[in-house]
Amino acid sequence: MSTPLWEARADLLVVGTGVAGLTAALRARELGLRVLVVTKVAEEDGNTRWAQGGVAVVLPGEHDEGDTVDAHVRDTLVAGAGLCDEAAVAAIIAGGPAAVARLRERGAVFDAAPTGGLARTREGGHSAFRVVHAGGDATGAEVERALLAAASDGRVPVLENHVAVDAVRTPLGQVCGLLVLDGNGVPGVLSAPAVLLASGGLGQLYQATSNPEVATGDGLALALRAGAVAADVEFVQFHPTVLYTGRGARGRCPLVTEAVRGEGAVLVDATGARVMRGVHPLEDLAPRDVVAAAITRHMAGGPGGVDDHVFLDATGISDFARRFPTVHAACLAAGVDPSGEPIPVAPAAHFACGGVVSDVDGRTGVTGLYAAGEVARTGLHGANRLASNSLLEGLVVGTRAAEAVAADLALGVLAKPSASAVVRLPTAPVADRDSLQRVMSRYAAIGRDAEGLAVVGSVLDLSTVDRELDSRRLVEDAALTVAARALIAAAAQREESRGCHVRTDFAERDDVRWQRGQVIRLNPSGQPVLADQVVARGVA
Ligand code: SIN
């Protein structure tokens, strides 16, 4: 296919309708740009609406005594286990208060504290109550509602049910549009001098995840094929507590927000013994990687372990149904009454700490290609994201990316869309999704070793064939294949345990060899390989 069936133009194409994408689109529109948002599903079906906990932010005049933006920065660096980019952390966290104020101006309503101001909760790794929330535990849904409502005045058109297949590039490699497929597999070209990837994460690499079905790593794959690089992809965060609904749960599992522990719930095993006692000074509110790994160890053989789940005892939270309506409804649907019995929980894939290397203004190394939100690796998260820093990142970097696009357009450094090259559907390696998810869950989740990672590679070799990407399903499967390959390459190389990357054969953190990020690029045959490059990092 060299002639797409249709073509449309804009100044900026935004892929994804999550917090980062919609924030960027609205800001770009304010700056006078013609924006088109593209999503492979309906506009409300992104990942953002599933976020529960909230937005971590230290608001002026509304914070715990002694809490500061600097303390939030410190907590982020500690959680990130030595791989954050300190400058990026400082810039993004400092941008939080203004970003939350803008979001409220756009109509988002956060929960109020009885004493005035916004209610604040606490989550793992935070040294203070600084997570603002909406609808009790429905923060993502409220953020998405407000942004979609703001966009729906007609000035930010959303092209639904169109999957972005590949970047269109000039002969010099600058991005100047997107090749897309509609729901019937009909190809088209969207031309624009700037493309912002805000397409979310890759939880569907695993059998059980808190992420919806759309989280298949499409943006990461597209960026790599466009010549961008990725980093920190071995660090996939597992949320310690999704609702356990029975052996062999598949797909999106209901999240049990960490804020439940922030408000007093504790992890126990089948005998009632505390899982986190003696594991970390913060016990149940230790950073997420620590809690998820401790639960995994406990399930694997600790006293009272039940093989595939533990329990979250929230019976001490008196107004559970009001404070956590989403979790409460999910529990009731599973036959569990959280006010009278402990909630069965297990870890599940939750968040990609790494992604497309980009700066805090969303710029990648490829002219015309920007990234924001979970698809991006700005250096905020390092080896383990601090809870509720991701909505914050989407708000701050989404805004900054739109401003960067406007500035780059004004400077004339972006390609003219008319300079586009011949466009054809790409051919890429595609593995069988079910086999991929099974081996990734078995050998590349929490607790990896060289042998298991090699098994993943062999299974991918056996189940992969080259396919022309002429349907959404194939685009997604090709993306999962690239993401899995990138992850196992980086995970096999990193012979240490740090943050979300737990190696059973290298159990210690090794700052001498490994206090550095690993960069991935595609080789000429389309395989992810480690690049001889470094990315910025800080210390903790
Ligand atoms: C949660 O509510 O526990 C998840 C929030 C987050 O991932 O930051």
Side-chain angles (χ1 to χ4, degrees):
M1 195 279 297
S2 56
T3 315
L5 289 188
W6 54 271
E7 185 158 354
R9 286 187 181 218
D11 296 319
L12 169 64
L13 301 172
V14 175
V15 183
T17 54
V19 58
L22 290 173
T23 301
L26 286 163
R27 181 69 185 129
R29 196 67 199 91
E30 281 169 0
L31 294 168
L33 305 188
R34 286 173 309 155
V35 189
L36 177 62
V37 179
V38 191
T39 171
K40 65 182 178 182
V41 285
E43 62 179 13
E44 67 278 10
D45 285 342
N47 207 357
T48 290
R49 82 168 141 125
W50 301 103
Q52 292 188 354
V55 184
V57 65
V58 181
L59 294 172
E62 282 189 56
H63 50 76
D64 285 8
E65 200 177 325
D67 194 19
T68 59
V69 168
D70 283 350
H72 186 181
V73 167
R74 270 197 306 279
D75 291 346
T76 300
L77 295 175
V78 170
L83 290 195
C84 297
D85 173 345
E86 269 194 78
V89 173
I92 292 170
I93 287 177
V100 169
R102 259 193 315 270
L103 181 64
R104 294 177 75 190
E105 279 159 28
R106 289 194 166 123
V109 179
F110 285 86
D111 296 334
T115 50
L118 297 186
R120 299 190 305 275
T121 191
R122 191 172 160 200
E123 293 184 61
H126 286 279
S127 58
F129 283 74
R130 62 164 82 101
V131 176
V132 297
H133 47 83
D137 58 4
T139 312
E142 172 58 11
V143 168
E144 187 189 82
R145 182 206 62 74
L147 292 174
L148 282 174
S152 74
D153 63 4
R155 293 176 311 148
V156 179
V158 179
L159 185 63
E160 297 182 307
N161 301 312
H162 282 70
V163 65
V165 183
D166 235 351
V168 179
R169 289 188 293 155
T170 68
L172 292 178
Q174 302 151 305
V175 167
C176 57
L178 284 172
L179 172 60
V180 298
L181 291 174
D182 74 10
N184 297 316
V186 176
V189 165
L190 303 172
S191 295
V195 171
L196 172 68
L197 298 174
S199 49
L202 39 68
Q204 294 291 331
L205 277 177
Y206 296 91
Q207 289 176 296
T209 172
S210 63
N211 296 181
E213 280 185 0
V214 293
T216 49
D218 307 357
L220 174 68
L222 186 150
L224 286 170
R225 283 201 297 272
V229 295
D232 298 342
V233 291
E234 64 271 44
F235 300 106
V236 174
Q237 182 175 76
F238 278 64
H239 197 287
T241 58
V242 303
L243 183 63
Y244 173 82
T245 51
R247 192 169 288 280
R250 302 289 305 258
R252 193 188 69 78
C253 305
L255 191 63
V256 179
T257 174
E258 200 160 72
V260 176
R261 275 175 283 133
E263 301 198 11
V266 292
L267 289 157
V268 294
D269 66 21
T271 69
R274 295 274 300 272
V275 173
M276 291 307 297
R277 185 135 292 159
V279 174
H280 189 278
L282 290 172
E283 298 197 332
D284 294 85
L285 285 177
R288 204 169 271 178
D289 56 335
V290 176
V291 182
I295 292 174
T296 303
R297 280 195 307 275
H298 212 89
M299 293 188 311
V306 194
D307 186 15
D308 58 358
H309 65 286
V310 292
F311 298 91
L312 183 62
D313 187 347
T315 53
I317 301 178
S318 55
D319 54 351
F320 192 93
R322 186 197 57 78
R323 175 63 185 86
F324 300 109
T326 312
V327 177
H328 189 249
C331 288
L332 292 187
V336 177
D337 174 6
S339 57
E341 60 191 313
I343 306 167
V345 290
H350 183 59
F351 190 88
C353 298
V356 181
V357 174
S358 45
D359 65 16
V360 292
D361 297 308
R363 291 188 182 93
T364 70
V366 176
T367 301
L369 186 66
Y370 303 77
E374 189 173 350
V375 67
R377 182 273 180 205
T378 57
L380 175 64
H381 309 308
N384 172 55
R385 176 179 63 99
L386 185 67
S388 287
N389 265 358
S390 46
L391 288 178
L392 171 78
E393 184 183 39
L395 291 167
V396 174
V397 180
T399 300
R400 293 180 68 130
E403 290 167 357
V405 169
D408 292 350
L409 279 168
L411 283 173
V413 296
L414 301 181
K416 303 266 180 299
S418 56
S420 65
V422 173
V423 177
R424 39 187 329 117
L425 285 175
T427 295
V430 175
D432 171 69
R433 188 183 295 201
D434 188 58
S435 308
L436 177 148
Q437 289 174 333
R438 280 176 197 278
V439 284
M440 288 296 290
S441 302
R442 174 77 183 82
Y443 298 111
I446 304 174
R448 308 158 169 178
D449 62 21
E451 209 177 311
L453 292 166
V455 172
V456 179
S458 307
V459 170
L460 292 181
D461 287 345
L462 287 173
S463 80
T464 297
V465 284
D466 281 350
R467 301 285 301 271
E468 186 179 73
L469 305 185
D470 60 4
S471 69
R472 172 180 154 192
R473 177 77 187 193
L474 284 169
V475 171
E476 291 181 343
D477 286 349
L480 288 170
T481 306
V482 167
R485 290 254 185 223
L487 189 153
I488 61 167
Q493 189 76 7
R494 183 176 287 281
E495 294 180 335
E496 65 156 356
S497 291
R498 177 189 299 268
C500 311
H501 172 69
V502 180
R503 285 280 299 251
T504 51
D505 50 352
F506 292 94
E508 302 303 320
R509 173 167 155 172
D510 178 354
D511 282 344
V512 176
R513 286 182 64 212
W514 285 111
Q515 184 119 341
R516 61 183 174 86
Q518 300 189 92
V519 174
I520 296 275
R521 62 174 175 78
L522 288 195
N523 70 12
S525 43
Q527 291 292 345
V529 291
L530 290 161
D532 190 15
Q533 234 173 303
V534 291
V535 282
R537 63 151 186 84
V539 288

